Amino acid sequence: QSPESTVWTNGNVTISFTSSTSVKTAKWKKGVHSAKDVLASGTAITGNSFEVNENAKYSVGVQDNEGRREVEIIEITNIDKKPPSKVKSLSAVYTSGKIIVTWTNPTDSDFAGLTLSWKKGTGSETPVELTKDKTSYEISDIAPDDSTYTIAVTAKDDVGNTGSTAETTVKATATAEITKVELNGRTHFDTVQTDRNITVTVSGNNFDKLTSLLVQVTDGSTNYPAVTATIDAPNNKATAT
């Protein structure tokens, strides 16, 4: 057989035979059969080989010019056409000019890798080949232009079978984000200080998207009432006392 029995394949296997005498008739039949059965109802072999596409035992029967008959049985076990499982929990979020994609890989023993593809709107797809240890991927340089991106992830196994595709969409819409929180130089109070105020300055990006921002103090066990910050959207800052 080719590929040989120790080599897995998701294609067909070729079964070949040779004979020490001239062959008048050669046929094959799935299952274990006698030479008489194979030659009576089997499928004729053109040349000295034929292809099969599933694991099973196959009987090959020949008859030479003198009427002698022979049958041999070969078992094929190295065909794998079963696709791997679908990736789970696929999600995508847009932040800071990039799309962050995460998922959970299948647990199939022959799981070998992934193909991730993404496209903007109805544009062309960009495929990315990933190793089986990857559970996330970042797509960078994405402008916040409210476009919808489609992301698809497909698992594949050792011989190239591909599973069902998991797909999700995300909109590239700018959102506010906080990058820094600063105090006005006061890091602690002693017991005699009467001025108990601290000015908190919050910096970030896209503060024009904010509708409100709250600042809250905690001592590790008690959360004190939140204070509404004053938003300075053009400068992407907010302050609260």
Side-chain angles (χ1 to χ4, degrees), residues 186-193 195-198:
R186 305 184 71 176
T187 57
H188 68 280
F189 294 124
D190 61 32
T191 56
V192 298
Q193 287 174 303
D195 179 6
R196 315 298 290 182
N197 293 332
I198 295 178

Side-chain angles (χ1 to χ4, degrees), residues 30-84:
K30 183 179 176 182
V32 178
H33 304 280
S34 66
K36 179 180 178 180
D37 289 341
V38 176
L39 294 169
S41 59
T43 301
I45 299 173
T46 301
N48 68 336
S49 66
F50 61 98
E51 289 188 340
V52 297
N53 59 12
E54 60 181 317
N55 293 322
K57 291 182 178 180
Y58 294 89
S59 300
V60 179
V62 296
Q63 180 174 311
D64 65 14
N65 290 326
E66 285 71 41
R68 291 185 290 257
R69 295 178 172 183
E70 179 94 17
V71 66
E72 282 201 15
I73 297 164
I74 185 171
E75 184 174 9
I76 303 302
T77 60
N78 61 323
I79 297 176
D80 177 14
K81 294 181 180 288
K82 181 182 177 182

Side-chain angles (χ1 to χ4, degrees), residues 121-138:
T122 58
S124 58
E125 290 187 345
T126 299
V128 182
E129 298 299 321
L130 300 172
T131 54
K132 66 179 182 180
D133 59 313
K134 302 298 184 183
T135 56
S136 65
Y137 185 76
E138 289 188 5

